[in-house]
Amino acid sequence: MGYFITSFPHPPSPPIIHSSLSSLPHSCSSWSVYPEDFYPGGAYVTLPYGRVRYWMIGPEDGEKVVFIHGLSIPAIIWKDVAPVLASRGYRVLLYDLYGRGYSDAPKVTYDVTLYTTQLALLMQHINWGSAHIVGLSMGGGIGATFALHFPQLVNDKIALIASAGIMESSDISQTAKIMSSPLVQTISSLPPFRGYMRRLANASNASERGPIDPIQQIVRLQSAHLPHFNAAVASSLRDGPVRGQEYAYKALGNSTQQVLLIHGTADQTVPYRYASKIQGLVPHLKLVTIEDGGHDLTITHAREVSDLLLHFLSLKKKSIADGQVVLT
């Protein structure tokens, strides 16, 4: 009996770290779609859960802005927006979330704490004391919670684009729920299934004619070639900041930070009604509605999004008015 009371378990093992796009041979089409040097000023930092790829663009003395991407598309999603802000004098930090793009994929639960800690440690590494936050889709949920967990690292402006964070299970497709189940994830991680996915991706690439859509292709390539990408996405849906962040938005509503929310009326991924729900939690935010805009606003409406961000970031504190704006 004494042995069972006083015995200690084995020391915990370090987390399993799965590789990123950087591990693929340069002959893989991912290097032509989304190369490691997609943005200038790129570097890696090794954090407790693996290497993180980041880029810093714009003048070094510019006002600091962090861009946080969404569920499945890495920092390439900002290709038509971030360089615009950098050209206008902002110092922009872009990075790939764990499990996406060129950042490693630890075998852990992909919850909001993982993502907010990743950004806090990255900012510590580059010696940024604080920055404005811009979050897209799931990145909006991360940004809102980051402001709650690390308020000292956030300047007075937070911009949310097609923001997730409070989605209901009913708005997640049945296919996504099935694919993110532990059983399906176990099966999909087996070598035969992974080989099939790679052959399917290669066949799709070979059959495409005309210009390649890099946004669609990078999701396909990650799913086919990265051993933990699908599991990272699945865990983010089940455990992560896509849902359950009402408390963070409420805290944002009680803060003095200025908040901009941009959302399209034709968004099929995060339906437009969530814009008003977020506004109910953050009454002082400015809602800009893009008529007929879908979910990938940084691609389809890059100019409008860039102009809105530039205007928002240039505003003096307290000068943003409450209410709504509709762009057609």
Side-chain angles (χ1 to χ4, degrees):
M1 176 65 72
Y3 171 80
F4 291 106
I5 294 175
T6 60
S7 64
F8 266 45
H10 293 294
S13 301
I16 297 172
I17 306 294
H18 294 278
S19 57
S20 70
L21 290 177
S22 65
S23 67
L24 300 181
H26 282 221
S27 58
C28 181
S29 56
S30 64
W31 285 90
S32 60
V33 174
Y34 182 43
E36 195 176 40
D37 59 353
F38 189 81
Y39 301 103
Y44 285 98
V45 57
T46 299
L47 301 179
Y49 287 115
R51 289 203 312 167
V52 171
R53 181 66 173 173
Y54 67 94
W55 301 262
M56 300 174 71
I57 60 176
E60 293 186 5
D61 60 349
E63 200 167 351
K64 299 176 178 65
V65 185
V66 176
F67 282 75
I68 311 173
H69 68 75
L71 178 68
S72 57
I73 304 170
I76 189 177
I77 197 68
W78 300 110
K79 66 184 182 69
D80 299 321
V81 175
V84 175
L85 269 70
S87 70
R88 296 288 293 272
Y90 289 95
R91 183 65 164 169
V92 176
L93 169 64
L94 304 124
Y95 69 105
D96 287 340
L97 294 171
Y98 282 127
R100 283 80 168 177
Y102 289 96
S103 290
D104 286 345
K107 191 175 181 180
V108 296
T109 299
Y110 281 71
D111 57 16
V112 71
T113 300
L114 175 75
Y115 292 122
T116 56
T117 303
Q118 178 189 10
L119 178 54
L121 291 175
L122 177 57
M123 289 180 65
Q124 181 187 53
H125 170 73
I126 63 174
N127 200 29
W128 276 21
S130 61
H132 302 301
I133 304 296
V134 180
L136 170 66
S137 190
M138 185 182 78
I142 295 171
T145 311
F146 184 78
L148 174 61
H149 288 176
F150 301 98
Q152 73 279 9
L153 300 182
V154 180
N155 284 341
D156 62 308
K157 295 186 177 70
I158 299 175
L160 310 170
I161 305 169
S163 189
I166 59 171
M167 290 186 66
E168 299 165 3
S169 297
S170 59
D171 282 312
I172 299 175
S173 70
Q174 197 67 22
T175 300
K177 290 176 182 176
I178 293 172
M179 291 304 296
S180 64
S181 68
L183 175 61
V184 172
Q185 284 301 307
T186 299
I187 296 172
S188 65
S189 66
L190 298 175
F193 185 87
R194 297 211 52 75
Y196 168 75
M197 289 296 294
R198 286 192 291 271
R199 290 193 298 273
L200 186 64
N202 293 336
S204 298
N205 293 340
S207 65
E208 286 184 351
R209 298 178 180 178
I212 295 175
D213 182 350
I215 302 304
Q216 290 184 0
Q217 192 174 15
I218 195 62
V219 175
R220 183 192 308 156
L221 290 168
Q222 290 177 114
S223 180
H225 293 283
L226 297 186
H228 205 63
F229 169 76
N230 294 322
V233 170
S235 181
S236 298
L237 286 171
R238 296 172 64 88
D239 311 302
V242 171
R243 305 178 298 140
Q245 304 307 304
E246 287 87 353
Y247 68 95
Y249 285 111
K250 286 180 181 177
L252 199 57
N254 292 325
S255 74
T256 59
Q257 288 155 334
Q258 298 181 9
V259 184
L260 171 68
L261 174 60
I262 306 170
H263 213 120
T265 59
D267 193 330
Q268 299 298 312
T269 303
V270 182
Y272 178 71
R273 69 176 182 276
Y274 285 111
S276 61
K277 290 187 176 182
I278 292 175
Q279 190 174 41
L281 297 170
V282 190
H284 65 272
L285 70 73
K286 182 79 166 186
L287 172 61
V288 178
T289 298
I290 297 182
E291 287 291 341
D292 299 321
H295 190 62
D296 294 334
L297 293 174
T298 60
I299 301 297
T300 61
H301 293 73
R303 182 175 179 178
E304 293 94 324
V305 170
S306 299
D307 288 345
L308 287 167
L309 291 176
L310 287 168
H311 176 70
F312 174 62
L313 293 172
S314 69
L315 293 175
K316 300 293 185 182
K317 193 170 179 65
K318 298 295 186 183
S319 65
I320 187 170
D322 297 344
Q324 300 189 23
V325 176
V326 178
L327 300 183
T328 57

